[in-house]
Amino acid sequence: SGNGMRYERFGPYQTVRPDPQAIWKPSLPATDWQEADVTFQRISADKGKWQFKRHLPEKWLMHWGHLSFWTRLTSFKHTGIFPEQSLQWEFMQEKIKKIQRPISVLNLFGYTGIATVAAAEAGAKVTHVDASKPTIAWARENQAASKLDDKPIRWILDDAVKFVEREIRRGSSYDAIIMDPPVYGHGPTGQIWKFSEDFPKLFGNVVKLLSPNPVFIIVNAYAISSSALMLGNVMGDLLKNGTVEVGELCLQESISKRLLSTGIYARWSK
């Protein structure tokens, strides 16, 4: 990483894309960076295009443990995979496997569904909620790629805030909840999401959906101008029993071992 960019390998392919936090000098020479298969060129604040040095397939398969999932290059620089989330996948799988009873998990803002598939593989019944129809289709492809079509996953195309409000009225409950709320977003019918304004209220409602014997809550946040302490304080307001952990999500450079922060998280567990 460096000079506002990050250089990564996803399976057999090497990518370069912007990262505003990487304001330091690169540890690798420019000749190494020039060997990347594809580089993301930003056109505006939220748009760009990939410049290909070599041909890449439309999508390719990657693996974590027993799971498999598809990688794609999107027009907003993402690949559908956040490798730093593997620590959360490990955490939830360990918690789910330790409980000797059926576990219901709610995954809000579920994106490409790797957390959903990881929870299902561990034995949970999962409700996956996202406001993007193409993203849910991608997540279902990841379920199929992991050969978990027989697992109980409920796919919901909906605005997360509205879905949670309806679940409260229905009297629904969940043993564990995962949340990856964006800084800004839009629901399927135009609802506007702003993290600093909407997250505290949503989290207050999410807590109302916890079962009498909850197992964990995980909140991840990306590209926000707040610290992990903020997430921990919001959790601490409403969850008095159990343990709250907070921290940064990071990737480590393979050469210099320097850490690149990618986001923040807070998680509560019994």
Side-chain angles (χ1 to χ4, degrees), residues 6-21:
R6 56 202 280 189
Y7 183 13
E8 301 164 287
R9 180 172 61 82
F10 288 89
Y13 303 110
Q14 299 174 89
T15 69
V16 172
R17 51 186 175 149
D19 192 308
Q21 294 210 70

Side-chain angles (χ1 to χ4, degrees), residues 10 27 37 44 70 86 100 112 120 161 214 237 245 254:
F10 288 89
S27 57
D37 298 294
S44 63
W70 292 102
S86 59
Q100 301 299 312
T112 55
V161 173
D237 281 344
E245 305 170 79
S254 58

Side-chain angles (χ1 to χ4, degrees), residues 118-224:
E121 186 206 21
K125 177 182 179 181
V126 188
T127 297
H128 174 110
V129 181
D130 198 274
S132 166
K133 189 174 183 179
T135 299
I136 287 183
W138 190 343
R140 298 188 74 150
E141 286 183 63
N142 289 337
Q143 179 188 17
S146 295
K147 297 180 172 57
L148 296 175
D149 287 317
D150 61 331
K151 296 295 183 179
I153 300 176
R154 186 166 60 127
W155 305 100
I156 305 292
L157 175 66
D158 204 350
D159 173 72
V161 173
K162 298 297 183 184
F163 176 80
V164 168
E165 290 172 350
R166 283 196 297 272
E167 287 291 86
I168 292 171
R169 293 195 294 268
R170 294 179 185 125
S172 302
S173 66
Y174 298 88
D175 301 301
I177 298 172
I178 310 161
M179 302 174 64
D180 288 76
V183 183
Y184 299 103
H186 296 275
T189 57
Q191 302 93 331
I192 296 175
W193 164 271
K194 294 183 179 180
F195 187 95
S196 59
E197 298 176 12
D198 298 320
F199 174 71
K201 180 181 178 181
L202 173 60
F203 190 77
N205 281 338
V206 160
V207 170
K208 297 175 185 177
L209 291 178
L210 288 175
S211 69
N213 295 296
V215 181
F216 64 80
I217 296 180
I218 298 173
V219 179
N220 303 295
Y222 288 83
I224 68 171

Side-chain angles (χ1 to χ4, degrees), residues 19-21 23 35 42 53 55 67 78 119 127 131 137 157-158 174 176 181 198 218-219 233 251-253:
D19 192 308
Q21 294 210 70
I23 61 175
E35 287 302 306
R42 191 181 294 280
K53 185 173 183 178
H55 172 73
L67 303 182
H78 292 161
T127 297
L157 175 66
D158 204 350
Y174 298 88
D198 298 320
I218 298 173
V219 179
N233 289 341
L251 295 171
Q252 187 175 52
E253 290 187 343

